[in-house]
């Protein structure tokens, strides 16, 4: 169905909960979830927006969340964390995080430990970002592990993470690392924070496109580091 998200918003957000029960809305969402790949983005995006809608009362929010949980909505999202498609994994991380319930941190923690930290550095930082949003107690351990690894790839993950959570002190502390700065800017060591952020954004977009073009999420830290080295080495 074209514009499914817009259709669901018109149907349910115009008068949220007045014409439909939370069970009916949750049933509709679950029924549409696996119809096709395009539906997945629209339906999960709508579910998140509906839950966060300021026009929904707290009682209705709790009821809607309970219905989704009972119908295994979050368990089905969890399965998508292990999909081959980069965009689906990345989107799923975001959706699980933005539902803002700490109990769902378990899904992201498991995916980080068994999947992203081993095969996908870019999704690692995005997962850490949402785990921070969910107040996961494991984030500090994951960050310490990256610091202990002390590779250019682990430093790059940390740089993305601290930038995403707006921690300028940690971000700038990393930029004081001459090895990392030389890795990001091998031909021009003196860069301001804005120029570094531009390079990071450019590389993130490049790697995202690379993952999606190959149809695979698997890229270990050594491969990732080599791609980063080549990218930053020819960055204009």
């Amino acid at each position: 169905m074209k514009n499914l998200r817009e259709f669901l918003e018109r149907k349910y957000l115009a008068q949220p909960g007045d014409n439909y029960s939370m069970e009916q809305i949750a049933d509709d969402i679950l029924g549409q979830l696996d119809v096709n790949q395009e539906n997945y983005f629209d339906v999960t995006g709508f579910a998140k927006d509906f839950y966060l809608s300021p026009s929904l009362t707290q009682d209705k929010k709790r009821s809607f969340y309970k219905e989704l949980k009972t119908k295994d909505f979050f368990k089905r999202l969890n399965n998508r964390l292990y999909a081959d498609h980069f965009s689906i994994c990345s989107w799923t991380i975001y959706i699980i995080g933005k539902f803002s319930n700490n109990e769902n941190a378990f899904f992201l923690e498991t995916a980080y430990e068994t999947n992203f930290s081993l095969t996908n550095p870019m999704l690692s930082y995005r997962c850490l970002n949402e785990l921070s949003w969910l107040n996961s107690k494991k984030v500090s351990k994951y960050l310490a592990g990256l610091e202990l690894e002390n590779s250019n790839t682990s430093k790059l993950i940390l740089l993305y993470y601290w930038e995403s959570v707006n921690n300028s002190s940690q971000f700038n502390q990393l930029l004081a690392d001459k090895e990392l700065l030389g890795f990001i800017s091998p031909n021009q060591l003196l860069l301001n924070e804005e120029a570094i952020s531009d390079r990071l954004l450019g590389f993130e977009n490049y790697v995202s496109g690379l993952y999606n073009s190959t149809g695979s999420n698997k890229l270990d830290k050594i491969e990732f580091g080599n791609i980063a080295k080549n990218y930053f080495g020819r960055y204009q």
Side-chain angles (χ1 to χ4, degrees):
M1 180 187 297
K2 296 182 76 172
N3 299 317
L4 175 59
R5 186 167 177 174
E6 183 179 337
F7 169 78
L8 292 170
E9 289 172 351
R10 288 200 307 267
K11 183 176 181 179
Y12 295 124
L13 276 175
Q15 294 178 312
D18 293 342
N19 301 320
Y20 302 92
S21 69
M22 296 299 106
E23 181 179 10
Q24 288 174 308
I25 299 172
D27 281 339
D28 195 2
I29 288 170
L30 270 294
Q32 298 275 7
L33 193 58
D34 296 320
V35 174
N36 57 48
Q37 184 170 298
E38 288 72 24
N39 273 23
Y40 180 73
F41 293 98
D42 284 349
V43 171
T44 51
F46 165 75
K48 182 262 298 178
D49 288 348
F50 183 79
Y51 178 67
L52 298 177
S53 171
S55 57
L56 214 62
T57 67
Q58 289 302 313
D59 284 343
K60 287 177 179 176
K61 285 180 188 289
R62 283 190 288 269
S63 176
F64 178 63
Y65 183 89
K66 181 180 179 180
E67 290 293 338
L68 290 179
K69 183 179 177 181
T70 299
K71 300 176 191 303
D72 290 336
F73 174 77
F74 296 102
K75 289 183 179 179
R76 290 170 71 175
L77 290 189
N78 178 59
N79 293 335
R80 300 300 183 101
L81 292 174
Y82 303 90
D84 289 333
H85 200 284
F86 178 83
S87 292
I88 289 177
C89 288
S90 181
W91 177 254
T92 303
I93 291 169
Y94 168 76
I95 292 295
I96 290 175
K98 291 304 178 274
F99 263 91
S100 304
N101 192 311
N102 179 262
E103 68 181 7
N104 293 323
F106 169 78
F107 296 127
L108 296 183
E109 290 165 352
T110 303
Y112 179 86
E113 293 171 9
T114 64
N115 191 18
F116 302 144
S117 66
L118 303 174
T119 64
N120 201 308
M122 193 58 72
L123 290 180
S124 291
Y125 109 75
R126 295 182 183 182
C127 193
L128 288 169
N129 190 13
E130 296 305 330
L131 283 171
S132 176
W133 178 260
L134 293 173
N135 295 314
S136 166
K137 295 180 179 179
K138 290 191 173 184
V139 170
S140 58
K141 181 183 78 170
Y142 298 150
L143 296 177
L146 290 168
E147 290 171 359
L148 186 63
E149 184 180 321
N150 200 37
S151 67
N152 284 325
T153 296
S154 65
K155 292 174 186 176
L156 198 57
I157 295 170
L158 288 167
L159 199 61
Y160 275 112
Y161 171 76
W162 291 121
E163 182 184 41
S164 68
V165 297
N166 296 317
N167 190 316
S168 58
S169 62
Q170 291 288 348
F171 184 81
N172 290 327
Q173 184 175 326
L174 274 168
L175 292 182
D177 185 318
K178 292 183 178 179
E179 182 182 359
L180 176 61
L181 192 58
F183 181 72
I184 296 172
S185 178
N187 303 316
Q188 183 183 355
L189 291 180
L190 297 177
L191 291 176
N192 60 31
E193 186 174 327
E194 183 180 357
I196 292 291
S197 294
D198 286 343
R199 287 180 180 236
L200 292 177
L201 177 60
F203 180 61
E204 182 170 8
N205 290 336
Y206 174 77
V207 171
S208 297
L210 186 63
Y211 279 123
N212 286 326
S213 67
T214 60
S216 174
N217 281 338
K218 309 305 178 188
L219 195 67
D220 65 30
K221 290 181 179 179
I222 295 177
E223 293 175 295
F224 184 88
N226 289 333
I227 290 172
K229 181 179 180 180
N230 291 331
Y231 176 86
F232 292 123
R234 64 176 187 269
Y235 185 89
Q236 297 297 321

